[in-house]
Structure formats: C-alpha cells, structure tokens
Amino acid sequence: MNESMKTHGDFGWRDLMTDDVDRARQFYTDVIGWSTEVMDVGKGPYTVFKIGDRPVAGLMDKSPTAPEAPTAWTSYVTVDDVDACATRTAIAGGVVIVDPVDIPTVGRMAVIQDPTGGCIGIITYTDGSG
C-alpha cells in the first residue's frame, strides 16, 4: 500500500465504472500499458489496474440499479472514519450518493456529493491506515 492510501485527506484510489468493462480494460492496457488482475470483491468481478505489481486503479460494471449513471472515473480520498464523514456530509449540505459499505479485504467506502454537485469517494482501509 502506498503512502497516499494511508494518509487522511490524500487521494488514494480511482475507479472507472462503465457498461463495457472488456472494452475499457483493453483500451487502458493498450494505451497506458497497465496490467490487470480480475478479482471478486463481493459485488461481482472487479479489475485492478497495475503498474508492475502495484495496484493503481480499478474497473467495474455500472450498478444494475443505476444503469443511467454515466461512465466515469471516481477518485477516492482516504479518511479516518467513512461513517463519520458520511454523517458530516448531510450536516455540511451535501448528499451521500452511496451509503457506507464494506469491501471485503479492502475497507469501507462511500460516495458523497458536495453542495455544488461534485462527487467524490471516501475510503478507510482495513489495515487501520488512513
């Protein structure tokens, strides 16, 4: 795990949600040269993009419950407590888009939206970092 994944307030991860995982995977391996590893994180197949052995981003199908969601990259900021940040989101005038959820072997994450419409993911890693 790199240092940004351990530091509260730092960007530590990125995800691409798309309706054509195979095409996106091929594009990023061809253009950027990332290698890939497919795993199951409890919500179906999840592709991890890597530089050598180091994970740098992820790729997954859009949620079947939100097919109208745009294909987009989401950046995740490491936080000390996802649930506390989600609670503070509403108090600060924002909206919790994806409620806090556990991702097996990874940590706990949520997606929030600020009062201006900007969306960002927040994550706390299971090893106690962040």
Side-chain angles (χ1 to χ4, degrees):
M1 183 176 294
N2 66 41
E3 288 304 309
S4 67
M5 295 175 84
K6 299 177 183 179
T7 305
H8 177 90
D10 204 344
F11 285 93
W13 193 251
R14 298 128 215 82
D15 271 331
L16 173 60
M17 294 188 71
T18 181
D19 54 8
D20 194 340
V21 168
D22 292 334
R23 190 171 180 197
R25 181 186 305 114
Q26 190 65 52
F27 176 84
Y28 289 104
T29 57
D30 288 351
V31 173
I32 297 178
W34 284 333
S35 62
T36 63
E37 177 183 348
V38 178
M39 59 181 56
D40 187 350
V41 293
K43 296 189 178 272
Y46 183 79
T47 299
V48 176
F49 290 118
K50 295 181 173 185
I51 299 171
D53 290 336
R54 185 171 60 91
V56 294
L59 168 67
M60 58 196 246
D61 278 321
K62 288 191 248 181
S63 170
T65 61
E68 71 285 353
T71 292
W73 282 94
T74 300
S75 294
Y76 289 82
V77 172
T78 300
V79 297
D80 293 330
D81 185 335
V82 165
D83 294 278
C85 286
T87 299
R88 289 194 303 270
T89 296
I91 294 167
V95 176
V96 177
I97 302 295
V98 175
D99 289 326
V101 61
D102 290 323
I103 306 298
T105 73
V106 175
R108 190 158 174 81
M109 59 79 60
V111 178
I112 60 174
Q113 184 178 44
D114 70 38
T116 70
C119 294
I120 195 163
I122 53 176
I123 189 164
T124 302
Y125 293 94
T126 56
D127 69 356
S129 300

